[in-house]
């Protein structure tokens, strides 16, 4: 159902939910560079099945997803306008009158002990991004939940978390982002975030699979992003599948450099285009999705 200012259209597509789910498997390959040609072909095939060229808007595309559309990597498709996933149809009418994007809490490369591989790229990513906001990143053993809550205080404009993320398919509210606790792993779950929110206007989860969740019988989406929305976030950017250090750092640096004017939808497009122009495959530049709003 395509809703525009002057008309509403029912669009027939060449996709089924099962067919779309099967198509998305190529983007989660262990060899993304080797599958680049197949990924591009799949992205074009999905766009063609959606009749995207016939109805794509000239401005922001807001998507109220259902079922497999929650997991569609819009950034991988041939579309050059901001695409924003809405938690529900009424979300677009919400006010975003919270903290500006000038204040930030940045966390990266937590010390997770020996159970997890280190993420050296996230140290550079967090440090660079924090400097742009005039603050210091919480790194290593400082990257704790207590330290993060202290840095946020009564609320910040931007919360950027660069670490490992875990998706729990059986219990989506047990999905987590991994922080440090005395040099050991401390998972911060979607359930805990729902019960005790981290107050931020724009939340960026620079980690693997943070955008995944489970669609319940009522077509509601359970997972990390939902918990941040319920905690007061206006916008959340997260990943659909495992991501890689260097291109993720590039994506995030371009995004933040373009987001400070509050036009985060345009910043998402700029970051996607930067990686695409650098020659990365769709699985890399299409991994991150933006939800909630296109501007703050």
């Amino acid at each position: 159902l395509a809703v525009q200012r002057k008309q509403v259209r029912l669009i027939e597509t060449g996709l089924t939910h099962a067919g779309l789910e099967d198509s998305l498997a190529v983007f989660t390959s262990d060899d993304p560079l080797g599958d680049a040609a197949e990924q591009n072909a799949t992205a074009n095939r999905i766009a063609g099945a959606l009749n995207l060229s016939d109805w794509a808007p000239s401005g922001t595309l807001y998507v109220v997803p259902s079922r497999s559309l929650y997991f569609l990597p819009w950034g991988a498709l041939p579309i050059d306008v901001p695409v924003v996933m809405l938690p529900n149809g009424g979300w677009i009418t919400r006010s975003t009158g919270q903290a500006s994007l000038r204040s930030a809490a940045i966390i990266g490369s937590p010390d997770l002990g020996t159970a997890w591989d280190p993420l050296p790229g996230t140290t550079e990513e967090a440090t660079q991004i924090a400097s742009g906001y005039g603050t210091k990143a919480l790194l290593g053993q400082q990257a704790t939940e207590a330290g993060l809550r202290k840095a946020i205080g009564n609320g910040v404009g931007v919360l950027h978390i660069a670490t490992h993320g875990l998706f729990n398919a059986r219990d989506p509210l047990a999905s987590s982002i991994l922080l440090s606790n005395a040099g050991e792993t401390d998972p911060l779950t979607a359930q805990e975030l729902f019960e005790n929110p981290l107050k931020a206007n724009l939340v960026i989860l620079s980690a693997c699979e943070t955008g995944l969740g489970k669609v319940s019988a009522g077509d509601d989406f359970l997972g990390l992003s939902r918990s941040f929305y319920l905690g007061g976030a206006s916008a959340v950017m997260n990943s659909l599948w495992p991501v890689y250090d260097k291109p993720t750092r590039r994506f995030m640096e371009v995004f933040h450099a373009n987001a400070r004017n509050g036009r985060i939808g345009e910043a998402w497009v700029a970051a996607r285009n930067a990686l695409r122009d650098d020659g990365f495959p769709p699985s890399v530049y299409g991994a991150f999705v933006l939800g909630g709003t296109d501007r703050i």
Side-chain angles (χ1 to χ4, degrees), residues 101 157-159 200-204 234-237 255 264 290 296:
L101 300 187
V158 178
L159 170 58
N201 205 1
L202 168 62
V203 176
I204 296 144
S234 296
V236 177
M237 189 167 71
F255 175 82
I264 56 177
L290 177 65
I296 293 176

Side-chain angles (χ1 to χ4, degrees), residues 205-235:
L205 301 175
S206 181
C208 296
E209 302 179 350
T210 50
L212 292 178
K214 180 179 180 180
V215 181
S216 67
D219 218 21
D220 196 14
F221 188 70
L222 303 176
L224 286 166
S225 59
R226 174 66 67 177
S227 293
F228 278 108
Y229 285 131
L230 293 175
S234 296

Side-chain angles (χ1 to χ4, degrees), residues 9-64:
R9 290 187 292 159
L10 183 64
I11 298 171
E12 294 288 339
T13 77
L15 282 176
T16 64
H17 284 290
L20 177 57
E21 289 169 1
D22 289 342
S23 296
L24 296 180
V26 68
F27 297 111
T28 61
S29 165
D30 290 334
D31 184 19
L33 296 179
D35 291 334
E38 185 178 356
Q39 289 174 24
N40 277 300
T42 300
N44 289 330
R45 187 165 59 249
I46 292 172
L50 288 171
N51 301 317
L52 194 57
S53 60
D54 293 335
W55 60 266
S58 56
T60 300
L61 170 61
Y62 296 98
V63 179
V64 184

